[in-house]
């Protein structure tokens, strides 16, 4: 007798939830009694420890944590990258397990802005690329990119807002704004005929106060923080709510 599709769906859901719980336990414990492949590992000058884990693409029968904490390690260059939901991921410069923070750079955005054949400004807010439980620190500043479909802003307005034309041209501009977590007054960043995209940047003391060096600001990275799920079921619910695909975060 054929098994009803409903029961197959329920069984698959139960198995998925159970497997996610197992992965979280493995990440928290650093693997089995012998440490195994889930023990802390080096990638360049970084130590990748739980809840983060280095993916081993040839090993398909085991994972050491949820996908949001998965790290790709280029052994030839020593570069660690959060796999996550972006094409090239976020390159990790530094990690603080005590403060639960990462200094990262969005390599995909840099590639887009420096492409010799398809140069274009970002079209997705950085926050839309992050999965649970990663957050953008309020210590960052807003770097706003404008894609203007009509005529460019008048010269006087560009001076007033300190707009910097990007190397991609095509009526695209950059502007350095205020604290990243203070975007309640969106009118402050609205520009008629233009679409605004928000990126976080971490300014160093004494650094520039405008967007003239926007590429250097992006390359210097931004601060990201993480939270640990209080219970495996919490991570399961978040994993089901947001699924990374390609360059975008699809809400299902």
């Amino acid at each position: 007798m054929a098994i009803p599709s409903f029961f197959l769906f329920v069984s698959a859901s139960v198995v998925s939830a159970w497997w996610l719980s197992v992965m979280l336990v493995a990440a928290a414990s650093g693997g089995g009694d012998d440490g195994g492949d889930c023990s802390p590992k080096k990638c360049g000058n970084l130590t990748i420890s739980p809840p983060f884990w280095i993916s081993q693409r040839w090993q398909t029968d085991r994972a050491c944590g949820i996908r949001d904490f998965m790290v790709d390690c280029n052994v030839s260059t020593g570069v660690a990258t959060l796999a996550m939901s972006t094409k090239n991921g976020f390159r990790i410069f530094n990690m603080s397990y005590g403060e639960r923070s990462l200094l990262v750079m969005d390599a995909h955005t840099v590639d887009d802005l420096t492409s010799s054949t398809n140069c274009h400004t970002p079209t997705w807010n950085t926050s839309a690329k992050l999965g649970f439980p990663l957050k953008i620190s309020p210590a960052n500043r807003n770097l706003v990119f404008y894609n203007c479909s009509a005529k460019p802003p008048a010269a006087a307005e560009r001076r007033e807002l300190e707009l910097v034309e990007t190397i991609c041209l095509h009526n695209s501009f950059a502007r350095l704004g205020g604290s990243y977590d203070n975007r309640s007054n969106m009118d402050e960043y609205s520009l008629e005929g233009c679409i605004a995209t928000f990126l976080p940047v971490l300014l160093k003391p004494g650094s520039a106060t405008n967007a003239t060096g926007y590429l250097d600001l992006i390359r210097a990275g931004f601060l990201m923080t993480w939270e640990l799920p209080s219970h495996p079921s919490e991570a399961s619910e978040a994993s089901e709510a947001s699924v990374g695909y390609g360059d975008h975060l699809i809400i299902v």
Side-chain angles (χ1 to χ4, degrees), residues 168-186:
C168 298
L169 303 177
H170 306 298
N171 288 345
S172 60
F173 303 89
R175 173 191 177 191
L176 185 62
S179 175
Y180 191 85
D181 68 336
N182 185 20
R183 291 186 291 165
S184 56
N185 183 14
M186 296 304 294

Side-chain angles (χ1 to χ4, degrees), residues 120-123 145-149 170-173 193-197:
H120 62 276
T121 55
T123 55
F145 283 92
Y146 294 98
N147 287 293
C148 304
S149 57
H170 306 298
N171 288 345
S172 60
F173 303 89
C194 305
I195 298 175
T197 304

Side-chain angles (χ1 to χ4, degrees), residues 33-235:
D33 294 337
D34 58 355
D37 291 324
C38 294
S39 58
K41 290 179 174 61
K42 295 288 289 185
C43 182
N45 63 348
L46 298 174
T47 298
I48 310 301
S49 300
F52 297 92
W53 55 285
I54 294 180
S55 62
Q56 300 183 33
R57 298 192 182 280
W58 62 86
Q59 188 178 23
T60 59
D61 61 343
R62 185 180 185 187
C64 298
I66 59 175
R67 186 177 184 272
D68 293 313
F69 290 128
M70 185 173 73
V71 174
D72 288 333
C73 180
N74 187 322
V75 294
S76 61
T77 62
V79 171
T81 306
L82 279 175
M84 301 190 39
S85 57
T86 57
K87 181 178 180 180
N88 293 333
F90 293 96
R91 176 177 176 177
I92 305 173
F93 291 143
N94 201 3
M95 310 176 76
S96 172
Y97 291 95
E99 298 180 359
R100 292 184 181 176
S101 65
L102 305 165
L103 181 63
V104 301
M105 176 190 71
D106 188 343
H108 183 54
T109 294
V110 173
D111 289 345
D112 288 342
L113 287 167
T114 56
S115 172
S116 59
T117 58
N118 187 30
C119 182
H120 62 276
T121 55
T123 55
W124 284 79
N125 295 337
T126 300
S127 58
K129 300 179 180 182
L130 302 186
F132 175 88
L134 300 161
K135 308 292 182 184
I136 296 173
S137 168
N140 298 293
R141 292 274 295 275
N142 274 311
L143 181 60
V144 189
F145 283 92
Y146 294 98
N147 287 293
C148 304
S149 57
K151 62 181 181 180
E157 187 175 21
R158 290 168 62 176
R159 287 193 298 269
E160 179 183 355
L161 299 177
E162 296 186 296
L163 297 178
V164 176
E165 189 171 23
T166 73
I167 57 177
C168 298
L169 303 177
H170 306 298
N171 288 345
S172 60
F173 303 89
R175 173 191 177 191
L176 185 62
S179 175
Y180 191 85
D181 68 336
N182 185 20
R183 291 186 291 165
S184 56
N185 183 14
M186 296 304 294
D187 291 340
E188 178 185 351
Y189 296 107
S190 64
L191 201 58
E192 186 177 358
C194 305
I195 298 175
T197 304
F198 296 86
L199 277 67
V201 291
L202 187 64
L203 267 62
K204 297 179 180 179
S207 59
T209 56
N210 57 47
T212 302
Y214 63 88
L215 271 176
D216 290 334
L217 291 174
I218 297 173
R219 287 185 176 123
F222 68 94
L223 202 61
M224 181 189 295
T225 62
W226 77 82
E227 298 176 357
L228 293 176
S230 58
H231 190 272
S233 61
E234 179 182 336

